[in-house]
Amino acid sequence: MRSPEITLAQTSLLQAMIAIAPKNARIGCRVIRDGDEAHLLPEEAHSIPARQPAMRRASGAARWIAHGLLAELGVSDAAILRAPTGAPVWPDGITGSLAHDDDMAVAAVAPIGHISALGIDVEPAQPLPDDILALVATPADRIDAADLHLAGRILFAAKEAVYKASYPLDREVLGYEDITVDLNAGHATTKTGRKVSLAYCVAPRVVVLAFVEREAR
């Protein structure tokens, strides 16, 4: 049985995530639990090299969410394998993204149509350590629209999500310095010129969703 705290955290985050999701996208979350590694399909389990129990539980939780979201789109029993790059391999006609922190897993999927790529990241709602912020931020980033204490964390999550959304399209390995984020305007630009839309929420975790609209470039 779920504890009230787990149910509240999961429900609150799900509601906030649904509010930021673009049209036609499906989005979900799950508090990671003991035994979630059992949700990995056999092919998925084989494709994930990590042997640490925590990593396999997180992967199982994220894929359990994704399986349910895919079923909503009419895609059942599809194994979401891990590519050598680490990215999930989606069924034909589907774009999506997975992420997790130590406690929460999230997933987003959409049929390829108006949206050609998705990226998602989840982080604890805590200030980003200064040493990491120094690696992530560039003078061109605009983050003053975000909460002062969480702006760095949102920026970090945004760049992670943008990379996940842009890599399948451009096959470019990007560093943090290669992505310029404007939280004020709700978009980012990569060094390749790729334009990516951004939306985020903080309730009770930081979740950033990056997506590329079909017509955008």
Side-chain angles (χ1 to χ4, degrees):
M1 181 178 295
R2 299 179 186 177
S3 72
E5 293 80 6
I6 287 177
T7 300
L8 179 61
Q10 192 167 291
T11 301
S12 298
L13 184 59
L14 179 59
Q15 290 173 345
M17 290 168 62
I18 289 172
I20 67 169
K23 185 180 179 181
N24 300 319
R26 302 289 198 280
I27 197 164
C29 64
R30 176 180 174 83
V31 174
I32 300 167
R33 303 166 175 81
D34 289 341
D36 273 352
E37 63 275 14
H39 293 302
L40 292 169
L41 299 177
E43 307 98 304
E44 294 171 342
H46 183 71
S47 74
I48 297 171
R51 290 292 173 258
Q52 301 93 331
M55 289 296 294
R56 297 189 75 79
R57 280 196 298 272
S59 294
R63 281 168 170 77
W64 183 88
I65 302 164
H67 292 153
L69 299 176
L70 289 173
E72 292 179 17
L73 297 177
V75 180
S76 300
D77 302 321
I80 306 166
L81 305 183
R82 183 185 187 276
T85 61
V89 180
W90 298 97
D92 289 344
I94 299 292
T95 182
S97 186
L98 308 174
H100 64 84
D101 62 14
D102 289 343
D103 301 304
M104 186 75 73
V106 296
V109 302
I112 294 176
H114 295 298
I115 297 172
S116 56
L118 282 171
I120 196 169
D121 195 48
V122 59
E123 296 285 329
Q126 300 170 0
L128 192 70
D130 290 342
D131 57 337
I132 299 178
L133 180 60
L135 296 174
V136 172
T138 73
D141 293 321
R142 296 289 178 265
I143 59 175
D144 49 287
D147 176 272
L148 176 64
H149 299 290
L150 294 178
R153 183 72 68 171
I154 297 167
L155 177 66
F156 174 82
K159 293 198 175 188
E160 292 286 334
V162 168
Y163 180 72
K164 292 179 180 180
S166 64
Y167 183 80
L169 301 175
D170 301 326
R171 298 295 174 180
E172 285 278 344
V173 176
L174 302 174
Y176 296 118
E177 70 280 4
D178 299 321
I179 301 170
T180 301
V181 167
D182 188 338
L183 292 180
N184 303 6
H187 65 69
T189 307
T190 72
K191 71 173 184 179
T192 66
R194 174 71 61 185
K195 305 293 185 182
V196 183
S197 298
L198 293 171
Y200 69 89
C201 61
V202 184
R205 274 177 162 70
V206 170
V207 173
V208 178
L209 188 64
F211 54 97
V212 178
E213 295 174 331
R214 189 70 172 179
E215 300 78 12
R217 172 72 200 195

